[in-house]
Amino acid sequence: MYAMKLVGADRDAALHASFTQQERLATGRNVHLQNNVLTFGCLVEGPLDPGRLRQAYLALRQRHESLRLVFPKNPGATGGTAALRAPCDTGFHVEHATADDPDDGLRQARALVAEAATVPFDLAAGPLVRLLCVRITADLHLVGCVADHIVVDGDSCTLMAEDLFALYAAETPEAVELPPVQVQFPDFAHSERLHLQGRTLDRLLTYWRRKLDGVGAIPPSHLRDPDTDDRHRPAPARGLLVRRATIQPPSTLRLREGVRRQRATLTAVFGAALKDVVRRRRLALGMTAEQAGDVAVMGSIGNRHRPEVRRSVGYFATPCVLRTDLTDAPPFTDLVRRETGTLLGTLRHQELPHALMTRELDPEHYGVRHRGDPGAVPGYVNFDVSEAGAAWSFTDRALRVTMTRIPRDEVPRGGVRLLVRDEGPRILVELRTDASRFGPRWAEEFLTDFMALVGTFTDRAVR
């Protein structure tokens, strides 16, 4: 598994974009979607010096080349080209909240960061990362980061926060003790292109050709809401609809014990529950058991199992297809075991990015998620689990820094997205739907059924 040799790219020659970046450049370079923007916030308690923060951000950009990447337009080049900008081109801004009450000021600060995420990035000119320092009070700031997904992934956001405030707290950037960055993202992208060819590429394509047979690289959900399909009602407007649930202690402890006894993972349990709900919804719509039980959803792989890239900032993550056979309506514990096998098979073959897989095996859907027309995107289910049990925080003599979410109206491209956030003592579940496809009642019933399956597994697994 994953025998790619890491080879440094020649900085004096044209840099290559990765296969994942190339898909975006080829099909949606000038399309600005909220789905292609990542944001995070750091709540800073204590006196913060914006000038010193800017210098720390310059040092951060020097440390991680991905934060300085741009993608010049070069019609004659193949594979997509990238270039590095100077660290001094920061995209750093200072803002002030005007509310007198700190809670109102924090809401205003979050809104300012969310607003910055709506401003399109110029992929050719950059910068592709923006840092906002929002003053709420003299001793309370929100440092918000907005980045185009083409240069960073979700894991990179935590790394950026860690390194930024370590650099800020140091007497000088040279004095800070940070783990070395062993691999810069341009080197990873270069190595990926050298590795994914010949017999290696053929072996991986053979595996994914079998897994995608009959469902494609963007597997259709076959889900619909009769209420939104009702011709006698006004068509709902496209927008974000969110429903949430929480697994609280002691239920979380019992769930973890059940997972341990089953030799499974939380991801397998949640994935199994999601797919069984999809299967039942399909049956209710009149599909046969064989049609309803072949369930494939879109997931995401962090792609950071190699120790050399664990401290690297870049776009390493890749979408993936998670397909499981439920046609015989297995007991839920059996389904969890099947889902575990699905996840293990995907992890063993994750070195083939979804973009290259799609280009080679399902070219009709290459880049479709990056195009501007929402109607061109087939309906699919997206599934994400994040482990944030030890939520990052930073404390020095004067400051206390904690990461915080920046709420945004990010409508799922496929219509349905289930996010699970493991926060240790509790687990947050969020169902996001496109309101034009799936209404409130449909979403509430879907989430209720999902939580009931997880609850049943918890009760039975710990008996």
Side-chain angles (χ1 to χ4, degrees):
M1 182 185 78
Y2 215 82
M4 184 176 83
K5 181 180 179 181
L6 293 169
V7 180
D10 183 357
R11 297 303 190 274
D12 294 327
L15 297 175
H16 284 293
S18 70
F19 287 110
T20 302
Q21 292 170 331
Q22 178 186 346
E23 181 185 32
R24 168 85 178 280
L25 296 170
T27 61
R29 171 187 282 273
N30 298 317
V31 177
H32 180 74
L33 300 172
Q34 284 294 293
N35 312 79
N36 289 332
V37 179
L38 295 181
T39 61
F40 68 88
C42 292
L43 188 62
V44 183
E45 300 171 84
L48 181 70
D49 181 351
R52 186 170 179 175
L53 181 66
R54 182 181 183 278
Q55 292 304 313
Y57 184 52
L58 287 171
L60 182 74
R61 290 170 59 83
Q62 180 66 44
R63 174 173 167 81
H64 297 290
E65 289 184 346
S66 185
L67 304 182
R68 296 184 276 127
L69 279 176
V70 291
F71 302 90
K73 295 180 181 178
N74 189 350
T78 59
T81 57
L84 292 171
R85 300 199 66 165
C88 61
D89 182 15
T90 66
F92 182 85
H93 305 278
V94 177
E95 303 280 356
H96 292 79
T98 58
D100 295 329
D101 179 75
D103 290 339
D104 291 340
L106 178 57
R107 283 190 286 270
Q108 190 178 78
R110 285 183 172 138
L112 286 170
V113 178
E115 183 181 357
T118 66
V119 180
F121 287 98
D122 185 336
L123 300 187
L128 302 183
V129 183
R130 302 168 184 143
L131 197 75
L132 279 74
C133 176
V134 186
R135 183 186 186 278
I136 301 170
T137 69
D139 291 324
L140 185 64
H141 293 74
L142 179 69
V143 177
C145 183
V146 177
D148 195 292
H149 203 343
I150 200 169
V151 293
V152 298
D153 55 23
D155 288 337
S156 296
C157 293
T158 301
L159 290 171
M160 291 165 63
E162 291 176 357
D163 289 359
L164 175 65
F165 284 97
L167 289 163
Y168 177 88
E171 293 297 328
T172 64
E174 295 75 22
V176 68
E177 295 183 5
L178 285 171
V181 179
Q182 298 184 44
V183 176
Q184 295 287 351
F185 189 77
D187 299 318
F188 178 88
H190 176 67
S191 303
E192 181 184 63
R193 289 187 175 276
L194 295 177
H195 178 64
L196 293 175
Q197 53 184 306
R199 294 177 61 184
T200 298
L201 179 59
D202 289 342
R203 174 180 59 84
L204 292 166
L205 287 175
T206 297
Y207 174 84
W208 285 109
R209 183 176 288 109
R210 176 173 57 84
K211 295 298 290 184
L212 302 182
D213 183 34
V215 297
I218 303 180
S221 68
H222 299 298
L223 296 175
R224 61 182 178 84
D225 179 357
D227 288 343
T228 60
D229 287 345
D230 191 342
R231 295 181 180 179
H232 300 290
R233 299 184 184 181
R238 177 175 166 81
L240 176 63
L241 180 66
V242 180
R243 291 293 181 268
R244 298 184 177 92
T246 305
I247 304 175
Q248 298 280 12
S251 296
T252 304
L253 294 176
R254 293 170 56 234
L255 174 58
R256 294 188 194 282
E257 175 62 18
V259 167
R260 186 191 66 80
R261 291 187 183 185
Q262 294 293 320
R263 297 183 179 181
T265 63
L266 284 175
T267 301
V269 171
F270 292 131
L274 170 64
K275 289 179 179 177
D276 204 26
V277 174
V278 171
R279 178 186 69 87
R280 297 180 188 197
R281 284 287 184 277
R282 290 175 171 180
L283 288 172
L285 291 171
M287 296 179 68
T288 67
E290 290 73 19
Q291 294 169 329
D294 185 2
V295 184
V297 303
M298 296 289 293
S300 180
I301 302 175
N303 206 15
R304 288 177 179 266
H305 57 282
R306 294 186 65 127
E308 299 96 327
V309 303
R310 288 176 186 164
R311 294 298 308 181
S312 302
V313 168
Y315 191 4
F316 297 94
T318 179
C320 63
V321 176
L322 302 171
R323 185 182 190 183
T324 309
D325 182 8
L326 291 70
T327 55
D328 57 342
F332 192 70
T333 51
D334 290 348
L335 178 52
V336 170
R337 282 191 282 271
R338 293 185 193 182
E339 191 64 17
T340 299
T342 295
L343 293 168
L344 288 174
T346 301
L347 291 172
R348 291 191 186 106
H349 299 85
Q350 66 182 292
E351 57 195 295
L352 185 69
H354 185 263
L356 181 55
M357 178 198 312
T358 306
R359 192 186 75 184
E360 297 297 318
L361 302 179
D362 191 7
E364 178 183 353
H365 288 124
Y366 183 71
V368 69
R369 295 176 307 120
H370 302 302
R371 297 171 191 166
D373 178 14
V377 183
Y380 64 89
V381 176
N382 191 266
F383 172 55
D384 282 304
V385 177
S386 65
E387 297 181 1
W392 176 83
S393 63
F394 173 87
T395 304
D396 71 356
R397 294 183 301 274
L399 296 182
R400 182 174 183 272
V401 185
T402 53
M403 288 192 75
T404 183
R405 294 180 64 192
I406 305 296
R408 292 185 297 128
D409 293 333
E410 182 183 342
V411 181
R413 277 174 283 199
V416 178
R417 185 180 186 190
L418 183 77
L419 299 98
V420 180
R421 181 178 175 86
D422 181 3
E423 294 191 340
R426 64 176 188 167
I427 297 173
L428 305 180
V429 181
E430 183 174 283
L431 179 68
R432 295 182 163 212
T433 60
D434 180 347
S436 69
R437 302 189 195 183
F438 304 97
R441 184 173 67 176
W442 187 95
E444 289 164 6
E445 292 175 350
F446 190 101
L447 185 57
T448 297
D449 290 348
F450 172 85
M451 297 302 294
L453 282 171
V454 174
T456 299
F457 169 84
T458 302
D459 292 340
R460 293 178 178 175
V462 297
R463 287 178 182 173

